[in-house]
Amino acid sequence: METLTTNNAAAIDMYRPALHYAARDTWLNDPNGLIFHDGVYHLYYQNNPLGNVWGNMSWGHATSTDLLTWTEHPVAIPCDDNEDIFSGSIVYDRTNTSGFGTGSVAPLVAIYTSAFKPGSEHEGIQAQSLAYSLDGGYTWTKHANNPVLSRRSANFRDPKVIRYDGGEGSYWVMVAVEAQDFKAMFYKSEDLKNWEFLDSFGPANATGGIWECPDLFPLPVDGDPDNVKWVLTVNLNPGGPNRGSAGQYFIGDFDGTSFTSTSTVTAGLNSTDNQGAYHWLDWGRDYYAAVSFNDAPDNRRLMIGWMNNWEYAKHIPTTPWRSPMSLAREVSLQTIDGNLCLVQRPAGDWTALVAQEPFSLAETTIDDGEQMLPGASGTVQRIDVSFTRGSAKEFGLVLRGDGAKGTRVGIRPDEGQLFVDRRKSGQTDFHESFPSLDTAPVRSTSGSYELSIFVDRCSVEVFAQDGQVTMTELIFPAENSTDLTVFATGGTATINSLQVMRLE
């Protein structure tokens, strides 16, 4: 089978990521159909196989065995004259409930949104359709009787399907959205072809933009298998905490029919005063349409998001490819200061990518101003740093700097804020909304602030306080902007420890 490797030297440019997946020479957006099957992670995604702007929506395809290195494959499910192939999910139909399997081969079944084109029998609507694969997810056949679920709606899309096993029995459950109504819609099926409406959820919390790309999954609380809560994620555009695209999540219970949230803010729907009370998947500008893998090993819940923002997505200065995916993240549900929240940590064995002896600092005082760290420069790095506040009003790091420019990642302890300032990060003038100073709430842990930062050729992903808060941002620095600097403003701060690993 022909494959296209993302490490092809001819395809590399100054912004092509080393740690994140990007298509070789085309546009991509939402991750779709994430599944672990026969030892392989499959990443499907919204793809324009004919160009590097949105259009001709089809499902692209990439695979990995370690979540760190990806191989691109030919388009999996192409659009045609009748339909565009919008977002969806994939399940392994182990017992062949669908009847698509043959002999001893159980099928993979993709459930996707058909966006019907002018001239189609279903022109103007979005409905849910099926395709199946009998070779492990590399080639797909569309179901002859598509669509299998229609509401005669123009904005009914993005089905995520799981297998539910509970007090009400065992069956397939779908959650999709009525995008403009801010509603998650739940259905059940015995065979993936015939669907029965169960219930709906929403509007709730952030409704500043349409709802898209939902997900539904159970997680043990603090690792206790006898205490399980359900998480419903919904992405919205616009309406994020720092403007533009973002994802939110709700924590609650699912009984096989209805989802009940225990984390809904009831005082003032989508009030800007409540933004900090909502549960955001990520506080940065560039983490959208995140969904999780079905059937990940060891019951891990692994998620990937699209690393871009619809405000400027088609304008980012990359060519011929456009848009990367985020790192894969393992999510867990933990009790923090008496409240439940998702904790996110980067997945994968990062030690395998370390290129040389790490740069390290032990306890060091940062004086008012900036101090460059000779020996810590680089373009692809993992940075782990612990700070303690002194008298400084803010402190942190300048990444991918050159003395005049750089991306500032830091803490403002009086405001309880983590911030990413990319106003001088490199190329910023390709769209008026790209230069930004973005913030997220953060509190010290025993007086310390812990950051794990993944720097790639066009991005920064920040995991604060062991993954309690995350911020993901695109950046487009000059190729020679490689310096790493520490800074403090209005006083001093202390680096408890710092380790910088160059990655390949």
Side-chain angles (χ1 to χ4, degrees):
M1 181 176 299
E2 180 187 3
T3 59
L4 309 171
T5 175
T6 57
N7 294 322
N8 186 336
I12 291 177
D13 59 63
M14 63 184 289
Y15 296 137
R16 176 170 290 278
L19 306 179
H20 300 76
Y21 177 74
R24 182 180 64 171
D25 56 5
T26 56
W27 164 276
L28 64 75
N29 56 288
D30 308 357
N32 299 154
L34 305 187
I35 191 166
F36 180 78
H37 184 68
D38 284 345
V40 175
Y41 294 95
H42 291 265
L43 163 64
Y44 300 86
Y45 51 89
Q46 292 286 275
N47 177 233
N48 179 358
L50 304 179
N52 68 350
V53 294
W54 187 92
N56 308 302
M57 283 294 98
S58 305
W59 276 25
H61 183 204
T63 56
S64 176
T65 57
D66 59 8
L67 296 172
L68 301 177
T69 55
W70 295 90
T71 298
E72 183 173 350
H73 300 279
V75 170
I77 308 177
C79 65
D80 57 28
D81 292 340
N82 185 56
E83 63 178 359
D84 279 322
I85 313 298
F86 278 14
S87 292
S89 54
I90 290 173
V91 296
Y92 179 40
D93 186 11
R94 291 172 175 80
T95 60
N96 196 26
T97 64
S98 64
F100 291 139
T102 59
S104 61
V105 179
L108 291 174
V109 181
I111 307 93
Y112 66 89
T113 296
S114 293
F116 290 103
K117 295 179 177 180
S120 163
E121 175 187 354
H122 307 285
E123 177 179 343
I125 71 167
Q126 296 178 358
Q128 314 322 317
S129 295
L130 304 178
Y132 61 92
S133 174
L134 300 177
D135 65 357
Y138 296 94
T139 60
W140 294 84
T141 301
K142 293 179 182 178
H143 177 41
N145 295 319
N146 283 335
V148 297
L149 177 59
S150 174
R151 293 170 53 87
R152 304 299 301 176
S153 166
N155 293 282
F156 175 47
R157 58 178 176 267
D158 306 342
K160 177 63 185 281
V161 174
I162 62 171
R163 188 71 184 179
Y164 174 78
D165 293 290
E168 298 301 312
S170 178
Y171 44 85
W172 301 107
V173 167
M174 175 197 297
V175 56
V177 293
E178 276 289 354
Q180 294 186 346
D181 295 338
F182 317 112
K183 286 188 176 182
M185 314 296 291
F186 297 90
Y187 295 82
K188 68 178 289 187
S189 176
E190 300 292 340
D191 61 4
L192 296 170
K193 298 174 181 176
N194 299 283
W195 293 90
E196 173 190 341
F197 176 70
L198 294 173
D199 202 358
S200 65
F201 173 83
N205 288 4
T207 56
I210 59 173
W211 280 17
E212 294 188 310
C213 302
D215 201 349
L216 178 71
F217 50 85
L219 283 176
V221 176
D222 300 321
D224 180 1
D226 295 323
N227 183 12
V228 173
K229 303 295 281 186
W230 284 76
V231 177
L232 172 67
T233 67
V234 180
N235 292 268
L236 76 159
N237 175 62
N242 282 294
R243 187 172 161 178
S245 312
Q248 63 180 326
Y249 67 92
F250 300 88
I251 302 169
D253 299 294
F254 181 68
D255 63 3
T257 299
S258 301
F259 176 81
T260 305
S261 170
T262 58
S263 63
T264 301
V265 177
T266 57
L269 190 66
N270 203 51
S271 166
T272 55
D273 295 336
N274 289 328
Q275 289 270 334
Y278 301 154
H279 288 294
W280 298 104
L281 284 172
D282 193 286
W283 289 79
R285 291 285 190 97
D286 298 305
Y287 189 78
Y288 188 63
V291 289
S292 67
F293 281 86
N294 281 339
D295 300 337
D298 303 319
N299 292 318
R300 301 169 73 196
R301 185 57 53 178
L302 303 169
M303 301 189 78
I304 290 180
W306 177 48
M307 202 155 60
N308 210 332
N309 189 308
W310 281 116
E311 285 197 326
Y312 44 74
K314 66 181 181 180
H315 299 286
I316 65 171
T318 63
T319 186
W321 61 280
R322 187 170 276 127
S323 294
M325 293 295 182
S326 75
L327 298 177
R329 303 177 178 185
E330 182 169 2
V331 300
S332 61
L333 199 54
Q334 297 187 15
T335 306
I336 308 294
D337 297 328
N339 299 308
L340 287 180
C341 70
L342 279 187
V343 171
Q344 305 177 66
R345 300 184 178 101
D349 179 11
W350 294 97
T351 60
L353 302 184
V354 177
Q356 63 184 44
E357 190 70 22
F359 173 89
S360 299
L361 275 182
E363 189 167 326
T364 302
T365 298
I366 314 171
D367 295 323
D368 191 358
E370 297 187 0
Q371 304 171 40
M372 192 180 74
L373 301 177
S377 63
T379 59
V380 183
Q381 302 168 306
R382 173 174 176 160
I383 301 169
D384 294 287
V385 60
S386 171
F387 292 104
T388 298
R389 180 192 184 177
S391 56
K393 298 297 183 184
E394 64 178 41
F395 49 86
L397 306 169
V398 182
L399 315 169
R400 295 297 307 271
D402 63 4
K405 293 185 177 182
T407 301
R408 299 171 74 85
V409 177
I411 304 293
R412 292 173 175 166
D414 290 340
E415 288 82 8
Q417 287 182 345
L418 167 71
F419 69 87
V420 177
D421 184 351
R422 62 180 184 185
R423 291 173 294 181
K424 296 182 179 179
S425 59
Q427 285 196 62
T428 62
D429 60 357
F430 53 86
H431 193 275
E432 61 182 8
S433 69
F434 184 81
S436 63
L437 170 59
D438 302 319
T439 63
V442 70
R443 285 192 273 179
S444 67
T445 303
S446 301
S448 295
Y449 298 88
E450 316 286 333
L451 305 179
S452 291
I453 305 170
F454 289 81
V455 183
D456 207 344
R457 296 185 181 116
C458 69
S459 64
V460 174
E461 285 185 76
V462 183
F463 298 81
Q465 305 303 66
D466 200 27
Q468 294 179 36
V469 177
T470 64
M471 294 188 75
T472 301
E473 306 265 346
L474 290 173
I475 58 172
F476 300 99
E479 197 167 10
N480 61 355
S481 294
T482 62
D483 293 342
L484 179 63
T485 299
V486 296
F487 72 89
T489 303
T492 63
T494 298
I495 295 176
N496 305 315
S497 61
L498 170 69
Q499 180 172 266
V500 182
M501 292 180 284
R502 184 179 298 174
L503 304 176
E504 304 186 326

